Amino acid sequence: MDPDGEPTARTGGEPTAPTGRAPRRPLERLRRLHPLDWVALALVGAACALTGLLPRPETVATLGRILPLLLFLGTVVVLAELTAVAGVFDVLAGRLARAARGSYPALFVLCVGFASATTIALNLDTTAVLLTPVMLALARRLGMPPLPLALTTVWLANTASLLLPVSNLTNLLAADRVDLDPLPYAARMALPQAATIAATMALLWVGYWRRGRRGVDRFVAPGPHVPADRVLYRIALAGCLLLVAGILAGVEVGIASAAAAGLVLVGFAARNRAALRPALVPWRLLVFVTGLFLVVQTLGRYGLDDLVGVLLGPDGGTLGALRAGGTGALLSNVVNNLPAYVAGEAVLPPGDATRLLALLIGTNAGPLVTPWASLATLLWYERCRAAGVAVPLGRFLAAGALLAVAATAAGVGALLLTG
């Protein structure tokens, strides 16, 4: 997909010049880099090329902290790519479509429920990696535009990640800070979670799913998809289930994804070696994330922590909670939600549970505007790009900003009602 949102032909995972056209000159190719490539270049240039801003010991420490994250990113993307080749996502998409029995409202409810349940029970990153290809395959099989289904996945991967500590890494940090066990934490966040999902459903239906948008009342459900290699299909499905089981068992996500990807790699090495190519490794995404964390670490030394304190302000109550939620959402879209939450948590006084949880709502429900706002959004963007699906950046940013405001406000308002 090029920067204008147009699909490109892909061979071995890289864009190629269209048939009958002369190959692009280097300057033209540079101008047509994907938006994330530009951001990656800027971040890596600021954080690494201009070192000195971040002392060497802190650079080494930051890289050590993100290595498990990079392991998860690299292996889970390889797992998703090979699972798609094996036909697992096409099979699941067909079953989802048949369960709706030709009804678009029923399909909408099923997709929302599926995305919300996987996010709550597993975590938002797993939803982004494993559910996005299912939704894109569903759109392809039904002849629907892919964007409504794609946005259903990425929006709920973020906004449905409040209920349980395992749903989002930020939740684990917040639950520990306010000293809440999983059940009391879930009880406090149940109403905010319902509010953010309701806001998401409303915007999805009005903006993308209602009849005026799709033009028809019913669809014809496709027949069962038959995988080309049933053995590979079963191996890939086992790899996905292994990842899910590992996460539910509390295994570190990088180890769980590496084990699952390793199983599928062995299967493909034995039965379809041609599918194993260097382009499976998402090196652009890995470089981007590395640069992102180095830059955020640098910004923290030179005023980011002070800025967070100013944005949060000293006040509690309704205004303080709304400011905390808004600050979390704003900073997430600037620097990513994990460092945004950590920066906000460091500024808030101990014992201020309401503002801390409001900050959490902003960092979970608000990262919907920029592609790097959360790891789940990054992974979703990469899955769409790998599938050749156009994501119009202008519309994505505008709709995401609207939902970020609505979901954060709804979630914080519900939090205040719970006391």
Side-chain angles (χ1 to χ4, degrees):
M1 184 173 65
D2 65 23
D4 300 319
E6 295 300 326
T8 56
R10 298 179 67 85
T11 302
E14 296 297 331
T16 60
T19 305
R21 297 183 186 177
R24 295 181 181 133
R25 294 185 296 274
L27 180 59
E28 184 180 355
R29 289 178 63 86
L30 188 63
R31 288 172 178 166
R32 296 180 70 83
L33 279 173
H34 190 276
L36 288 186
D37 294 331
W38 283 114
V39 176
L41 289 172
L43 292 175
V44 173
C48 298
L50 304 176
T51 47
L53 292 175
L54 188 64
R56 184 181 180 87
E58 291 190 31
T59 300
V60 173
T62 300
L63 292 176
R65 285 197 301 269
I66 67 172
L67 277 177
L69 175 61
L70 298 177
L71 174 64
F72 170 73
L73 273 177
T75 54
V76 82
V77 168
V78 170
L79 173 66
E81 290 274 9
L82 295 179
T83 302
V85 173
V88 172
F89 301 135
D90 289 298
V91 172
L92 292 176
R95 290 177 180 174
L96 195 63
R98 290 192 296 278
R101 299 182 181 273
S103 167
Y104 277 106
L107 183 65
F108 173 69
V109 172
L110 284 171
C111 289
V112 168
F114 194 13
S116 299
T118 55
T119 299
I120 290 169
L122 303 175
N123 64 52
L124 69 168
D125 302 325
T126 305
T127 295
V129 171
L130 297 184
L131 191 55
T132 301
V134 174
M135 295 297 198
L136 297 180
L138 178 60
R140 183 175 62 251
R141 299 200 71 187
L142 297 182
M144 292 176 59
L147 194 58
L149 286 156
L151 287 178
T152 299
T153 307
V154 70
W155 283 359
L156 286 163
N158 288 283
T159 61
S161 66
L162 285 168
L163 186 61
L164 299 178
V166 298
S167 305
N168 198 322
L169 177 57
T170 53
N171 298 356
L172 293 171
L173 299 175
D176 182 65
R177 177 71 181 272
V178 299
D179 195 25
L180 286 177
D181 291 330
L183 287 180
Y185 172 87
R188 183 74 195 273
M189 299 303 288
L191 190 59
Q193 179 65 97
T196 58
I197 291 177
T200 307
M201 291 181 68
L203 191 56
L204 280 170
W205 182 260
V206 172
Y208 295 94
W209 278 85
R210 62 186 171 88
R211 191 185 188 285
R213 291 291 184 182
R214 64 179 185 263
V216 292
D217 286 320
R218 298 185 64 82
F219 62 87
V220 178
H225 176 80
V226 179
D229 187 325
R230 291 184 177 273
V231 174
L232 264 185
Y233 164 78
R234 294 189 181 97
I235 293 173
L237 180 60
C240 293
L241 295 176
L242 179 62
L243 172 63
V244 171
I247 291 172
L248 291 176
V251 177
E252 205 281 322
V253 291
I255 296 175
S257 62
L263 172 65
V264 178
L265 282 168
V266 169
F268 270 82
R271 300 188 65 86
N272 187 4
R273 191 179 297 268
L276 303 179
R277 60 193 193 281
L280 288 173
V281 179
W283 64 268
R284 287 185 179 89
L285 184 60
L286 299 178
V287 168
F288 171 83
V289 171
T290 303
L292 173 69
F293 274 83
L294 289 173
V295 166
V296 171
Q297 187 73 14
T298 304
L299 292 175
R301 290 178 53 85
Y302 296 97
L304 178 60
D305 292 346
D306 296 333
L307 174 62
V308 174
V310 172
L311 292 174
L312 288 172
D315 301 324
T318 300
L319 179 60
L322 290 172
R323 287 184 66 166
T327 298
L330 175 64
L331 287 180
S332 294
N333 287 291
V334 175
V335 299
N336 182 267
N337 68 328
L338 182 57
Y341 172 79
V342 172
E345 182 188 71
V347 173
L348 289 172
D352 195 345
T354 298
R355 280 206 294 167
L356 180 74
L357 293 177
L359 172 72
L360 179 69
I361 291 170
T363 57
N364 285 22
L368 302 169
V369 185
T370 56
W372 58 86
S374 73
L375 178 56
T377 308
L378 265 177
L379 289 166
W380 170 84
Y381 207 98
E382 188 71 13
R383 293 298 84 219
C384 290
R385 184 187 184 192
V389 172
V391 180
L393 282 178
R395 188 178 180 189
F396 175 76
L397 268 60
L402 179 60
L403 179 58
V405 172
T408 300
V412 172
L415 177 71
L416 291 171
L417 290 177
T418 66

